[in-house]
Amino acid sequence: DAGITQSPRHKVTETGTPVTLRCHQTENHRYMYWYRQDPGHGLRLIHYSYGVKDTDKGEVSDGYSVSRSKTEDFLLTLESATSSQTSVYFCAISESTGSGELFFGEGSRLTVL
Amino acid sequence: KQEVTQIPAALSVPEGENLVLNCSFTDSAIYNLQWFRQDPGKGLTSLLLIQSSQREQTSGRLNASLDKSSGRSTLYIAASQPGDSATYLCAVNSGYALNFGKGTSLLVTP
C-alpha cells in the first residue's frame, strides 16, 4: 500500500469554523490531490499540487484553500465551513501526471453542523 | 469537459459467474484509464492502469480493456467471489487529474 496518511479521519464541526485536513505521504511523489466524494456526484477534484508551493484549482475549489510547504504534506483548509462541505475527503498522490497511477488515502469524513 | 459514465449502477450476481463492468468517456484524448475498487467506508484501491497506447491489462482474475477511439473500457471479472463485492470506479486521465465515473456497486451472493 502507498504510504498515505490522512488526519483527522473523522471530524464534526460547526458552521463558520475553520477546518484543516492533512495529507502526509512517505512516497516522495511530486503530485498530490484533494478530492471530495458525495452521493450522486462521485469523486470531484478540489485542488492539486505539482510541487512544493505549486498548487492549482480543480473542479470544485470554491471555499477551499491548500498549501504545500514540504513534498510530503498537503493541507486542505476550509476557511469557514458550511453544511455543503459535509463530505468525505480523499487525498491522492502520483509520481507523474499524465501517465502516472494514482494512489488514495483512506479518507477523512467531515460533518459540518 | 470529460464525462465518464458507468453502466450498470448496480449489479448482483451469484458466486462463480463471470461478469463485465462498463465504462464510457466522451473525449478520446486521454493519457490513461484506471480502475479502482472501493469497499464501504474505505479509500480507493487501484486495480488496473491502462495507458492510452495499450489495449488491455490483466491482474489475476481481472482483465481491463480499452478502446480509446470509441471511448469505452470494460472490466472483466472471472469466477466472481463474495469477496469481490464492492463498488468499482472507472477514472480517466485527460490531463492533470482523473475524472471519475459514479461507479458500479457489485454484490456477489454465495
Side-chain angles (χ1 to χ4, degrees), chain B:
Chain B
K1 179 181 180 292
Q2 179 75 268
E3 300 289 341
V4 182
T5 304
Q6 291 187 245
I7 294 173
L11 181 63
S12 180
V13 301
E15 182 177 6
E17 271 204 9
N18 302 324
L19 59 101
V20 174
L21 306 181
N22 296 291
C23 173
S24 62
F25 47 95
T26 54
D27 186 349
S28 61
I30 68 170
Y31 287 97
N32 60 48
L33 184 145
Q34 199 167 348
W35 283 93
F36 294 89
R37 168 187 173 136
Q38 186 175 29
D39 294 288
K42 300 293 187 181
L44 281 70
T45 300
S46 179
L47 297 174
L48 290 164
L49 171 70
I50 311 178
Q51 300 296 346
S52 62
S53 59
Q54 297 174 321
R55 297 283 294 184
E56 66 178 80
Q57 282 284 351
T58 299
S59 175
R61 294 183 294 109
L62 305 179
N63 176 276
S65 69
L66 174 64
D67 185 342
K68 206 172 58 162
S69 61
S70 68
R72 294 181 185 277
S73 176
T74 62
L75 179 66
Y76 174 83
I77 303 177
S80 59
Q81 303 170 357
D84 294 330
S85 298
T87 297
Y88 291 81
L89 295 159
C90 164
V92 175
N93 188 336
S94 303
Y96 54 88
L98 296 183
N99 293 106
F100 282 83
K102 293 180 181 176
T104 294
S105 178
L106 173 65
L107 176 64
V108 181
T109 56

Side-chain angles (χ1 to χ4, degrees), chain A residues 11-17 19 78 80-87 110-113:
Chain A
K11 185 172 182 66
V12 179
T13 191
E14 294 191 347
T15 298
T17 60
V19 176
L78 291 67
S80 178
T82 67
S83 58
S84 65
Q85 293 175 312
T86 292
S87 186
L110 175 67
T111 301
V112 183
L113 301 175

Side-chain angles (χ1 to χ4, degrees), chain A residues 59-109:
Chain A
E59 179 186 358
V60 290
S61 59
D62 287 349
Y64 301 95
S65 62
V66 290
S67 66
R68 190 166 178 203
S69 59
K70 297 184 289 185
T71 298
E72 57 266 35
D73 290 326
F74 192 32
L75 304 181
L76 177 70
T77 297
L78 291 67
E79 301 290 349
S80 178
T82 67
S83 58
S84 65
Q85 293 175 312
T86 292
S87 186
V88 181
Y89 292 86
F90 286 100
C91 174
I93 64 173
S94 176
E95 198 166 17
S96 63
T97 190
S99 60
E101 187 173 5
L102 247 68
F103 299 97
F104 279 78
E106 287 292 305
S108 294
R109 182 175 295 275

Side-chain angles (χ1 to χ4, degrees), chain A residues 27-73:
Chain A
E27 306 295 325
N28 201 34
H29 283 357
R30 178 180 175 186
Y31 297 88
M32 298 186 75
Y33 308 82
W34 278 108
Y35 284 85
R36 60 178 289 176
Q37 185 175 37
D38 305 286
H41 290 280
L43 279 123
R44 294 177 291 174
L45 181 68
I46 306 171
H47 280 281
Y48 67 101
S49 170
Y50 46 96
V52 173
K53 293 189 169 57
D54 293 323
T55 65
D56 207 345
K57 296 178 180 180
E59 179 186 358
V60 290
S61 59
D62 287 349
Y64 301 95
S65 62
V66 290
S67 66
R68 190 166 178 203
S69 59
K70 297 184 289 185
T71 298
E72 57 266 35
D73 290 326

